[in-house]
Structures are given as structure tokens and as C-alpha cells.
Amino acid sequence: MTAYEPPGDPDAGTDPAPDPGPTGPGRAGYDAVVLAGGAARRLGGADKPGLRVGGRPLLDRVLAACAGARRTVVVADPRPTARPVTWAREDPPGGGPLAALAAGLRHTTAEYVLVASADLPFLAGPTVGRLLSALAAGDADGVLLTDADGRDQPLVAAYRAPALRRELAALARDRAGRGERADGAQLTGLPLRRLTGALRLTRVPDAVAAFDCDTWDDLATARARIREHGHVLDEWISAAKDELGIDLDVDTGILLDLARDAAHGVARPAAPLTTFLVGYAAGRAGGGPQAVAETARKAAALAQRWAEEAADTGSAPARGKPDVAPDATPDTRPDA
């Protein structure tokens, strides 16, 4: 288990990443290797990558975090996933993280490789961006996260692929006494520190993103955290977008304000119906954040006109007290 400490700031660990720049490892410039074939002994052999947090399997949550990878390789037996991936397996299966990493690395070609385990419920795209940006900005072989106790987490890290291949090959030569290929049989059972100890590493503290689910208590902690007030809405939107196959970032504040105005100026049921109509109209207009914003603006203006008319009874309007429908609830947001 990686220790978890609730952050004081609900957005801790999710700040936007620095822009890696046009020559950095941006969205098209890195590959990802996700290790998902462990035995999960502390979970009684349960299918850990398939355990759900926020309605999504742990593996799918990690895949969403590295959605910008040019290629994502999952080292495990194939299973249904929310995003397309390349499957790989160490030989023999169950050979440990070094053997699994070597098996996945053979399917990558990018200079930068994100390496992650499949049990990280809070790993997100901005954290991946920070790791890659820090790697591109320095001369280290890798950049990894540290947990709440300051311990290195080498399975939440970005590495230079040539450095990984070099050290894996050296370990394989030392172990086998022959050949230069880092295949799984030569690396089976070796601890991960044999690799990281030979690399020049930079560390980034992030107790939230480094939290992993090794036990049932860890899983319960993760499930509880996403329902906290500061996280539940973002978690729900992210899960819904994945479930619906939507890759669209919009200003949720615009939609929530629109829903509030529709409930306040028209009637409470107008809030969900209006947001649905806005989404439908934005889709017909070509989709995208701008289409959503413009459609929401028009609907908000309409809701405002309704509120003004409700306040105008033919005499001087009562300022600040529109005569709304009986089932409207002023200043109540649907997410309250």
C-alpha cells in the first residue's frame, strides 16, 4: 500500500501541468506501459485491475490518465477496456515488475515512456503532464512520484526509454551471463530497485496520485474520497464521459449556472431538460467547447427573459423577487 493522506486542498494533485512545449513529450510524443498482471495476494487474488472506483475499473481510470499517449501497452491478459490498447505479456507470466516492464517496453517506440501500475485510482492527466514536463526539462533518466511518507513510487513515473532499455539489458546480461536481450525469463523475480538504483531520477511529491489500492481498506478509502464534496462532481463527469465515449472538455460552471437559471426563472424540471437540449443542440452544431458555450449562452439568455417576464406583473416589478413558478427553487443548483 502507498500511504494516503487527504489533502487540505480538494484540488491538490490535480493542478494543470506546465506546457511541455512543441519539442517536449506532448500528447503525441510519449508511450505508456501499464502493468496490470500482478497476483493481488493482499486482495486474496481478486481481479484488482477490474475492481471499481467511481463506477470505473481501476485499469480504465489509469488508461484515462494516459489518454494522450501515442501508444498504450497493457502488460496482462487481454480484457475489455474503455480505450484501445496494445496487449503484452511477460514470459513466463507472473515474472514480476521488471519482466513485465521489459515485455511492455518492446512494443514502444517513443523517447519518453510513462510507466504506471493499474491500481492508481487518482492518477490523472495533469499529473502525467507534470512528470513528462519535468523529464523533458532536465537531464535525468526518469521522474517519479513520491508518496505521503516520501517513498519512491517507480510505477508512477516517466522515463527515457533508451535508459530503461540500457539498464534492463545490463540486468539481463548479469543474470543470464550471456546475450544482450532483456527478455522476461532473464528478469523474472528481480526487484524493481535493481533497475531504479542504476538510473538518475528526479522526484515529484504527490500523495494523492501515488495512492494505490493494495488492500480492501485501500479500496474503501478510494471509494470514499471520490464522494467527498470537493471531488464528486468532477469524478462523476469524468466517469460519464468515459462511459458515453465523449472526449470533450467544457466549462461545467456554464452548464451549472444555466441549470440554476432555468430552475429559478422557469421551473425546477427545466434545469435537466434545458441542459439536455443544450447538449443536443451543441452536438448538431459540430460539438466542441465553443459550441457548448454558445448554445448555453443562448439558453441562459432565454431563461433570463423568462425570469424578467415572471417579475413583470403589469406594475412596477418587485426588484429581486421574481414571481417564479411554484415548483422553482431560487438559487438551488442541481448538484447541491
Side-chain angles (χ1 to χ4, degrees):
M1 169 186 172
T2 295
Y4 166 69
E5 294 180 356
D9 180 354
D11 293 324
T14 59
D15 294 336
D19 184 356
T23 59
R27 290 186 172 274
Y30 76 97
D31 292 333
V33 175
V34 180
L35 308 186
R41 293 183 179 87
R42 297 176 67 186
L43 287 165
D47 176 23
K48 182 159 65 169
L51 296 176
R52 296 180 182 274
V53 173
R56 290 186 292 169
L58 286 170
L59 175 57
D60 280 345
R61 295 179 70 90
V62 174
L63 295 180
C66 55
R70 184 176 63 186
R71 170 178 289 181
T72 299
V73 183
V74 179
V75 186
D77 292 329
R79 66 170 68 217
T81 55
R83 297 175 183 272
V85 301
T86 298
W87 296 98
R89 203 67 168 109
E90 71 273 28
D91 184 17
L98 278 189
L101 176 57
L105 197 63
R106 286 199 290 272
H107 295 270
T108 67
T109 57
E111 179 184 357
Y112 301 93
V113 176
L114 176 79
V115 176
S117 57
D119 60 354
L120 301 164
F122 306 132
L123 182 64
T127 301
V128 171
R130 282 200 301 276
L131 289 170
L132 292 165
S133 295
L135 183 62
D139 59 359
D141 296 323
V143 179
L144 53 76
L145 294 189
T146 57
D147 65 14
D149 296 322
R151 293 175 300 193
D152 288 355
Q153 299 300 317
L155 295 184
V156 201
Y159 297 98
R160 297 183 190 275
L164 287 182
R165 292 190 175 94
R166 180 190 69 231
E167 297 305 330
L168 287 170
L171 287 171
R173 288 196 301 271
D174 291 344
R175 184 81 179 276
R178 56 181 174 78
E180 296 186 358
R181 183 179 175 187
D183 55 35
Q186 293 166 322
L187 297 169
T188 295
L190 287 179
L192 198 57
R193 64 178 179 271
R194 291 285 300 276
L195 172 66
T196 56
L199 297 173
R200 295 175 297 116
L201 300 174
T202 299
R203 290 156 178 84
V204 175
D206 192 329
V208 176
F211 178 79
D212 57 5
C213 290
D214 284 336
T215 68
W216 294 112
D217 285 344
D218 296 341
L219 190 69
T221 297
R223 287 173 171 172
R225 181 184 186 273
I226 67 167
R227 293 183 178 275
E228 294 172 1
H229 177 69
H231 307 283
V232 63
L233 187 58
D234 286 341
E235 287 285 351
W236 167 252
I237 291 172
S238 178
K241 289 196 299 185
D242 264 14
E243 189 73 16
L244 299 173
I246 300 171
D247 188 12
L248 176 66
D249 291 325
V250 298
D251 185 347
T252 55
I254 293 176
L255 297 179
L256 292 175
D257 288 343
L258 168 61
R260 179 200 61 202
D261 292 343
H264 176 77
V266 184
R268 182 177 296 177
L273 294 172
T274 303
T275 52
F276 165 77
L277 292 173
V278 164
Y280 182 78
R284 293 197 62 177
Q290 291 183 341
V292 174
E294 176 61 17
T295 308
R297 183 194 64 78
K298 291 179 180 179
L302 176 62
Q304 180 62 34
R305 293 197 297 271
W306 272 62
E308 291 170 355
E309 289 179 10
D312 184 5
T313 60
S315 58
R319 295 184 181 275
K321 296 181 179 179
D323 184 18
V324 298
D327 59 342
T329 303
D331 300 324
T332 298
R333 294 166 74 117
D335 61 322

